Amino acid sequence: MSSRVDPLDPAIAALRDGARGSGAAALVDLTPEEARERVSGGDVACAAGPPVDHVEDLLVPTAPQASPLRVRRYEHGAPHATLVYAHGGGWVTGDLEYADELCRFLAARAGLRVLSVEYRRAPEHRCPAAVDDVDRCLAWAAEQHRDLPLFVGGDSAGGNLAAVVAQRRRDLVTGLVAVYPVLDHDTTRDSYREQQDGFPIGARDMAWFFDHYTDPDQRSDPRVSPLRGVRAGHPPTYLLTAGHDPLRDEGFAYADALRALGVPVRHDHEPALCHGFLRTTGPSDGARAARDRLVEAVAGFVRDQMSVQQ
């Protein structure tokens, strides 16, 4: 597959131009609290997800004397599998509302029981706190929902957490779903140079996220850069990349590394879309169409892995 880049979706290009002409401060000039407020304000650019039979917020116990995790369960009809899902937001921003639309679609149209995790965020809780939270939710799900195969997934920084946990919990995970994930810290790849000033994130923004999440001497650790932890026995993987994304090339490198080890991989690429395009499904016809393709692809990926297990 080619890491093709087509002209940016017109509706997203209009959002980019509007943001750049607004005079708003750059992300890197914000405090984490200000960045969280801005990202939460962006929820209005997401299309509403479909009705789901059951949406419930749960408190999942973690380590003794530690606060429980807030987890949102989505369930529609009789699910075929359970997906533990980690939202995006650069490990610093984002919350359960961030991925609500996609989680609803995955429950209603892909037949998944989705458990969306409100993991601890940086810089108050630096790496590996978020990894440990997703890991604990996965272990809890394996105990509570033994009836169905267990998948782990996420987008952006959440895709990073999911990839790390998939490597750690190969014994529990039937498959990994990674949507434009952070997989490495190497900013010298072509996609980083091309998207130096990319929308909605570029190279400086990624550096800001990394600086809040982890120390420089930790970034080659597979808990931060899971591309560096790929090994035999990795769970089958569904991967989605976007053309206008500084993370594009590390996604292709991850798919290549998995295939070299014989790991089943489905890799889809959206050449006209940007990182975080799922946050633009309100104004962008292209993003909505890609979201629908993603949901259909995940449903097919889950069915394929279940048929292998039978």
Coordinates of all heavy atoms in Angstrom, one line a residue, residues 163-228:
A163 N -2.1 -0.1 21.6 CA -1.0 -0.9 21.0 C -0.1 -1.4 22.1 O 0.4 -2.5 22.1 CB -0.3 0.0 20.0
V164 N 0.2 -0.5 23.1 CA 1.1 -1.0 24.2 C 0.4 -2.1 25.0 O 1.1 -3.1 25.3 CB 1.4 0.2 25.1 CG1 2.1 -0.2 26.4 CG2 2.2 1.3 24.4
V165 N -0.9 -1.9 25.3 CA -1.6 -3.0 26.1 C -1.7 -4.3 25.3 O -1.6 -5.4 25.8 CB -2.9 -2.4 26.6 CG1 -3.8 -3.5 27.2 CG2 -2.7 -1.3 27.6
A166 N -1.9 -4.2 24.0 CA -2.0 -5.4 23.1 C -0.7 -6.1 23.2 O -0.7 -7.4 23.2 CB -2.4 -5.0 21.7
Q167 N 0.4 -5.5 23.2 CA 1.7 -6.1 23.3 C 1.9 -6.8 24.7 O 2.4 -7.9 24.8 CB 2.8 -5.2 23.0 CG 2.9 -4.7 21.6 CD 4.0 -3.7 21.3 OE1 4.8 -3.4 22.2 NE2 4.0 -3.1 20.1
R168 N 1.4 -6.1 25.7 CA 1.6 -6.6 27.1 C 0.6 -7.7 27.4 O 1.0 -8.6 28.1 CB 1.3 -5.4 28.0 CG 1.4 -5.8 29.5 CD 0.9 -4.6 30.4 NE 1.9 -3.5 30.4 CZ 1.7 -2.5 31.2 NH1 0.7 -2.4 32.0 NH2 2.6 -1.5 31.2
R169 N -0.6 -7.7 26.8 CA -1.6 -8.7 27.1 C -2.0 -9.6 26.0 O -3.1 -9.8 25.7 CB -2.9 -7.9 27.6 CG -2.7 -7.2 28.9 CD -2.7 -8.1 30.1 NE -2.9 -7.4 31.3 CZ -3.1 -8.0 32.5 NH1 -3.3 -9.3 32.5 NH2 -3.2 -7.3 33.6
R170 N -0.9 -10.1 25.3 CA -1.2 -11.0 24.2 C -2.0 -12.2 24.5 O -2.7 -12.7 23.7 CB 0.2 -11.4 23.6 CG 1.0 -10.3 22.9 CD 2.3 -10.8 22.4 NE 3.2 -11.2 23.6 CZ 4.3 -11.8 23.4 NH1 4.7 -12.2 22.2 NH2 5.0 -12.1 24.5
D171 N -2.0 -12.6 25.8 CA -2.7 -13.8 26.2 C -4.2 -13.5 26.3 O -5.0 -14.4 26.2 CB -2.2 -14.2 27.6 CG -2.3 -13.2 28.6 OD1 -2.1 -12.0 28.3 OD2 -2.6 -13.5 29.8
L172 N -4.6 -12.2 26.4 CA -6.0 -11.8 26.6 C -6.6 -11.3 25.3 O -7.8 -11.4 25.1 CB -6.2 -10.8 27.7 CG -5.9 -11.2 29.2 CD1 -6.1 -10.1 30.1 CD2 -6.7 -12.4 29.6
V173 N -5.8 -10.6 24.5 CA -6.3 -9.8 23.4 C -6.5 -10.6 22.1 O -5.5 -11.2 21.6 CB -5.4 -8.6 23.2 CG1 -5.8 -7.8 21.9 CG2 -5.4 -7.7 24.4
T174 N -7.7 -10.6 21.6 CA -8.0 -11.3 20.3 C -7.5 -10.4 19.1 O -7.1 -10.9 18.1 CB -9.5 -11.6 20.2 OG1 -9.9 -12.4 21.3 CG2 -9.8 -12.2 18.9
G175 N -7.6 -9.1 19.3 CA -7.1 -8.2 18.2 C -7.0 -6.8 18.7 O -7.6 -6.4 19.7
L176 N -6.2 -6.0 17.9 CA -6.0 -4.6 18.2 C -6.6 -3.8 17.1 O -6.5 -4.1 15.9 CB -4.5 -4.3 18.2 CG -4.0 -2.9 18.1 CD1 -4.4 -2.1 19.4 CD2 -2.5 -2.8 17.9
V177 N -7.3 -2.7 17.5 CA -7.9 -1.7 16.6 C -7.2 -0.4 16.9 O -7.3 0.2 17.9 CB -9.4 -1.5 16.8 CG1 -9.9 -0.4 15.9 CG2 -10.1 -2.9 16.5
A178 N -6.4 0.1 15.9 CA -5.6 1.3 16.1 C -5.9 2.4 15.0 O -5.6 2.1 13.8 CB -4.1 1.0 16.1
V179 N -6.5 3.5 15.4 CA -6.9 4.5 14.5 C -5.9 5.7 14.6 O -5.8 6.3 15.6 CB -8.3 5.0 14.8 CG1 -8.8 6.1 13.9 CG2 -9.3 3.8 14.8
Y180 N -5.3 6.0 13.5 CA -4.2 7.0 13.4 C -3.4 7.1 14.7 O -3.3 8.1 15.4 CB -4.6 8.4 12.9 CG -6.0 8.9 13.4 CD1 -6.2 9.3 14.7 CD2 -7.0 9.0 12.5 CE1 -7.4 9.9 15.1 CE2 -8.2 9.5 12.9 CZ -8.4 9.9 14.2 OH -9.6 10.5 14.6
P181 N -2.8 6.0 15.2 CA -2.1 5.9 16.5 C -0.8 6.6 16.5 O -0.1 6.7 15.5 CB -2.0 4.4 16.7 CG -1.8 3.8 15.4 CD -2.7 4.7 14.5
V182 N -0.4 7.0 17.7 CA 1.0 7.3 18.0 C 1.8 6.1 18.3 O 1.4 5.3 19.2 CB 1.1 8.3 19.2 CG1 2.6 8.7 19.4 CG2 0.2 9.5 19.1
L183 N 2.8 5.8 17.5 CA 3.5 4.5 17.6 C 5.0 4.7 17.8 O 5.7 3.7 18.1 CB 3.3 3.7 16.3 CG 1.8 3.3 16.1 CD1 1.6 2.8 14.6 CD2 1.4 2.2 17.1
D184 N 5.5 5.9 17.6 CA 7.0 6.1 17.8 C 7.2 7.6 18.1 O 6.3 8.4 18.0 CB 7.7 5.7 16.5 CG 9.2 5.5 16.7 OD1 9.6 5.3 17.9 OD2 10.0 5.6 15.8
H185 N 8.4 7.9 18.5 CA 8.7 9.3 18.9 C 9.7 9.9 17.9 O 10.1 11.1 18.0 CB 9.4 9.4 20.3 CG 10.7 8.7 20.3 ND1 11.9 9.4 20.2 CD2 11.1 7.4 20.6 CE1 12.9 8.6 20.3 NE2 12.5 7.4 20.5
D186 N 10.0 9.2 16.8 CA 10.9 9.7 15.8 C 10.2 10.8 14.9 O 9.3 10.5 14.2 CB 11.4 8.5 14.9 CG 12.4 9.0 13.9 OD1 12.8 10.2 13.8 OD2 12.9 8.1 13.1
T187 N 10.7 12.0 15.0 CA 10.1 13.1 14.3 C 10.8 13.4 13.0 O 10.6 14.5 12.4 CB 10.0 14.4 15.1 OG1 11.3 14.8 15.5 CG2 9.2 14.1 16.4
T188 N 11.7 12.5 12.6 CA 12.5 12.8 11.3 C 11.9 12.2 10.1 O 12.4 12.3 9.0 CB 14.0 12.3 11.5 OG1 14.0 10.8 11.6 CG2 14.6 12.9 12.7
R189 N 10.8 11.4 10.3 CA 10.2 10.8 9.1 C 9.6 11.8 8.2 O 9.3 13.0 8.6 CB 9.1 9.8 9.6 CG 9.6 8.6 10.3 CD 8.5 7.6 10.6 NE 9.0 6.3 11.0 CZ 9.2 6.0 12.3 NH1 8.9 6.9 13.2 NH2 9.7 4.9 12.7
D190 N 9.4 11.4 6.9 CA 8.9 12.4 5.9 C 7.6 13.0 6.3 O 7.3 14.2 6.1 CB 8.8 11.7 4.5 CG 10.1 11.4 3.9 OD1 11.1 11.9 4.3 OD2 10.1 10.5 2.9
S191 N 6.7 12.2 6.9 CA 5.3 12.7 7.2 C 5.4 13.8 8.2 O 4.6 14.8 8.2 CB 4.4 11.6 7.7 OG 5.0 10.9 8.8
Y192 N 6.4 13.7 9.2 CA 6.6 14.8 10.1 C 7.1 16.1 9.4 O 6.6 17.2 9.8 CB 7.6 14.4 11.2 CG 6.9 14.0 12.5 CD1 6.7 12.6 12.8 CD2 6.5 14.9 13.4 CE1 6.1 12.2 14.0 CE2 5.9 14.5 14.6 CZ 5.7 13.2 14.9 OH 5.1 12.8 16.1
R193 N 8.0 15.9 8.5 CA 8.5 17.1 7.8 C 7.4 17.7 6.9 O 7.2 18.9 6.9 CB 9.7 16.7 6.9 CG 10.9 16.4 7.7 CD 12.1 16.4 6.8 NE 12.1 15.3 5.9 CZ 12.7 14.1 6.1 NH1 13.2 13.8 7.3 NH2 12.6 13.1 5.2
E194 N 6.6 16.9 6.3 CA 5.5 17.4 5.4 C 4.4 18.1 6.2 O 3.8 19.0 5.8 CB 4.8 16.2 4.6 CG 5.8 15.6 3.6 CD 5.2 14.3 3.1 OE1 4.0 14.0 3.4 OE2 5.9 13.5 2.4
Q195 N 4.2 17.6 7.4 CA 3.1 18.1 8.3 C 3.7 18.9 9.5 O 3.1 18.9 10.5 CB 2.2 16.9 8.8 CG 1.5 16.2 7.7 CD 0.6 17.0 6.9 OE1 -0.1 17.8 7.5 NE2 0.5 16.8 5.6
Q196 N 4.8 19.6 9.2 CA 5.4 20.4 10.2 C 4.4 21.3 10.9 O 4.4 21.5 12.1 CB 6.6 21.2 9.6 CG 7.3 22.1 10.6 CD 8.2 21.3 11.6 OE1 8.6 20.2 11.3 NE2 8.5 21.9 12.7
D197 N 3.6 21.9 10.1 CA 2.6 22.8 10.5 C 1.2 22.3 10.2 O 0.2 23.0 9.9 CB 2.7 24.2 9.9 CG 4.1 24.8 10.2 OD1 4.4 24.9 11.4 OD2 4.8 25.3 9.2
G198 N 1.0 21.0 10.4 CA -0.2 20.3 10.0 C -1.4 20.7 10.9 O -1.3 21.3 11.9
F199 N -2.6 20.5 10.3 CA -3.8 20.7 11.0 C -4.5 19.4 11.2 O -4.6 18.6 10.3 CB -4.7 21.6 10.2 CG -6.1 21.8 10.8 CD1 -6.3 22.8 11.8 CD2 -7.2 21.1 10.3 CE1 -7.6 23.0 12.3 CE2 -8.5 21.2 10.9 CZ -8.7 22.2 11.9
P200 N -5.0 19.1 12.4 CA -5.1 20.0 13.6 C -3.8 19.9 14.5 O -3.6 20.6 15.4 CB -6.3 19.4 14.4 CG -6.3 18.0 14.1 CD -5.8 17.9 12.6
I201 N -2.9 18.9 14.1 CA -1.6 18.9 14.9 C -0.5 18.8 13.9 O -0.6 18.2 12.8 CB -1.6 17.6 15.8 CG1 -1.7 16.3 15.0 CG2 -2.6 17.7 16.9 CD1 -1.3 15.1 15.8
G202 N 0.6 19.4 14.3 CA 1.9 19.3 13.6 C 3.0 18.9 14.5 O 2.8 18.4 15.6
A203 N 4.2 19.1 14.0 CA 5.4 18.6 14.8 C 5.5 19.2 16.1 O 5.8 18.6 17.1 CB 6.6 18.8 14.0
R204 N 5.3 20.5 16.2 CA 5.4 21.2 17.5 C 4.4 20.8 18.5 O 4.6 20.6 19.7 CB 5.3 22.7 17.3 CG 6.5 23.4 16.6 CD 6.3 24.9 16.4 NE 6.2 25.6 17.7 CZ 5.4 26.6 18.0 NH1 4.5 27.0 17.1 NH2 5.5 27.2 19.2
D205 N 3.2 20.5 18.0 CA 2.1 20.0 18.9 C 2.5 18.7 19.4 O 2.2 18.4 20.6 CB 0.8 19.9 18.1 CG 0.4 21.3 17.4 OD1 0.3 22.3 18.2 OD2 0.3 21.3 16.2
M206 N 3.0 17.8 18.6 CA 3.4 16.4 19.1 C 4.5 16.5 20.1 O 4.5 15.8 21.1 CB 3.8 15.6 17.9 CG 2.6 15.0 17.1 SD 1.4 14.1 18.1 CE 2.4 12.8 18.9
A207 N 5.4 17.5 19.9 CA 6.5 17.7 20.9 C 5.9 18.1 22.2 O 6.3 17.7 23.3 CB 7.5 18.7 20.4
W208 N 4.9 19.0 22.2 CA 4.2 19.5 23.4 C 3.5 18.3 24.1 O 3.6 18.2 25.4 CB 3.2 20.5 23.0 CG 2.5 21.3 24.1 CD1 2.9 22.4 24.7 CD2 1.2 20.9 24.6 NE1 1.9 22.8 25.6 CE2 0.9 21.9 25.6 CE3 0.3 19.9 24.4 CZ2 -0.3 21.9 26.4 CZ3 -0.9 19.9 25.2 CH2 -1.2 20.9 26.1
F209 N 2.8 17.5 23.4 CA 2.2 16.3 24.0 C 3.2 15.4 24.6 O 3.1 15.0 25.8 CB 1.4 15.5 23.0 CG 0.1 16.2 22.6 CD1 -0.2 16.4 21.2 CD2 -0.8 16.6 23.5 CE1 -1.4 17.0 20.9 CE2 -2.0 17.2 23.2 CZ -2.3 17.4 21.8
F210 N 4.3 15.1 23.9 CA 5.3 14.2 24.4 C 5.9 14.8 25.7 O 6.2 14.0 26.7 CB 6.4 13.9 23.4 CG 6.1 12.7 22.5 CD1 5.9 12.9 21.1 CD2 6.0 11.4 23.0 CE1 5.7 11.8 20.3 CE2 5.8 10.4 22.2 CZ 5.6 10.6 20.8
D211 N 6.2 16.1 25.7 CA 6.9 16.7 26.8 C 6.0 16.6 28.1 O 6.5 16.5 29.2 CB 7.2 18.1 26.5 CG 8.4 18.3 25.6 OD1 9.1 17.3 25.4 OD2 8.5 19.4 25.0
H212 N 4.7 16.7 27.9 CA 3.8 16.6 29.1 C 3.6 15.1 29.5 O 3.4 14.9 30.7 CB 2.4 17.1 28.7 CG 2.4 18.6 28.8 ND1 2.6 19.4 27.7 CD2 2.1 19.5 29.8 CE1 2.5 20.7 28.0 NE2 2.2 20.8 29.3
Y213 N 3.8 14.2 28.6 CA 3.5 12.8 28.9 C 4.7 12.0 29.5 O 4.5 11.2 30.4 CB 3.0 12.1 27.6 CG 2.6 10.6 27.8 CD1 1.7 10.2 28.7 CD2 3.2 9.7 27.0 CE1 1.3 8.9 28.8 CE2 2.8 8.3 27.1 CZ 1.9 8.0 28.0 OH 1.5 6.7 28.1
T214 N 5.9 12.3 29.0 CA 7.0 11.5 29.4 C 8.3 12.2 29.2 O 8.4 13.2 28.5 CB 7.0 10.2 28.5 OG1 8.0 9.3 29.0 CG2 7.3 10.5 27.1
D215 N 9.4 11.7 29.9 CA 10.7 12.3 29.8 C 11.4 11.9 28.5 O 11.2 10.7 28.1 CB 11.5 11.9 31.0 CG 11.0 12.4 32.3 OD1 10.3 13.5 32.3 OD2 11.2 11.7 33.4
P216 N 12.3 12.7 28.0 CA 13.0 12.3 26.7 C 13.7 11.0 26.8 O 13.7 10.2 25.8 CB 14.0 13.5 26.5 CG 13.3 14.6 27.2 CD 12.6 14.1 28.4
D217 N 14.3 10.6 28.0 CA 15.0 9.4 28.0 C 14.1 8.1 28.1 O 14.6 7.0 28.1 CB 16.0 9.4 29.2 CG 15.4 9.6 30.5 OD1 14.1 9.7 30.6 OD2 16.1 9.6 31.5
Q218 N 12.8 8.3 28.2 CA 11.9 7.2 28.3 C 11.2 6.9 26.9 O 10.5 5.9 26.8 CB 10.8 7.5 29.3 CG 11.2 7.6 30.7 CD 10.0 8.0 31.6 OE1 9.2 8.8 31.3 NE2 9.9 7.3 32.7
R219 N 11.5 7.7 25.9 CA 10.6 7.7 24.7 C 10.9 6.5 23.8 O 10.1 6.2 22.9 CB 10.7 9.0 24.0 CG 10.0 10.1 24.8 CD 10.1 11.5 24.2 NE 9.7 12.4 25.3 CZ 9.7 13.7 25.1 NH1 10.2 14.3 24.0 NH2 9.4 14.5 26.1
S220 N 12.1 5.9 23.9 CA 12.3 4.7 23.2 C 11.8 3.4 23.9 O 11.8 2.3 23.3 CB 13.8 4.5 22.9 OG 14.3 5.5 22.0
D221 N 11.2 3.6 25.1 CA 10.6 2.5 25.8 C 9.3 2.1 25.0 O 8.6 2.9 24.6 CB 10.2 2.9 27.2 CG 9.7 1.8 28.1 OD1 8.9 1.0 27.6 OD2 10.2 1.8 29.2
P222 N 9.1 0.8 24.8 CA 7.9 0.3 24.0 C 6.6 0.8 24.7 O 5.6 0.8 24.0 CB 8.0 -1.2 24.0 CG 9.5 -1.5 24.1 CD 10.0 -0.4 25.0
R223 N 6.6 1.2 26.0 CA 5.4 1.7 26.6 C 5.1 3.1 26.1 O 4.0 3.5 26.3 CB 5.6 1.7 28.1 CG 5.7 0.4 28.8 CD 5.9 0.5 30.3 NE 7.1 1.2 30.6 CZ 7.6 1.5 31.8 NH1 6.8 1.2 32.8 NH2 8.7 2.1 32.0
V224 N 6.0 3.7 25.4 CA 5.8 5.0 24.8 C 5.8 4.9 23.3 O 4.9 5.5 22.6 CB 6.9 6.0 25.2 CG1 6.7 7.4 24.5 CG2 6.9 6.2 26.7
S225 N 6.7 4.1 22.7 CA 6.9 3.9 21.3 C 6.7 2.4 21.0 O 7.6 1.7 20.8 CB 8.2 4.3 20.9 OG 8.4 5.7 21.1
P226 N 5.4 1.9 20.9 CA 5.2 0.5 20.7 C 5.7 -0.1 19.4 O 5.9 -1.3 19.3 CB 3.7 0.4 20.7 CG 3.1 1.7 20.5 CD 4.2 2.7 21.0
L227 N 6.1 0.8 18.4 CA 6.7 0.3 17.2 C 8.0 -0.4 17.6 O 8.4 -1.4 16.9 CB 7.0 1.5 16.2 CG 7.8 1.2 15.0 CD1 7.1 0.1 14.1 CD2 8.0 2.4 14.2
R228 N 8.7 0.0 18.7 CA 9.9 -0.5 19.1 C 9.8 -1.8 20.0 O 10.7 -2.4 20.4 CB 10.7 0.5 19.8 CG 11.0 1.7 18.9 CD 11.6 2.9 19.6 NE 11.7 4.0 18.7 CZ 12.8 4.6 18.3 NH1 14.0 4.2 18.7 NH2 12.8 5.7 17.5

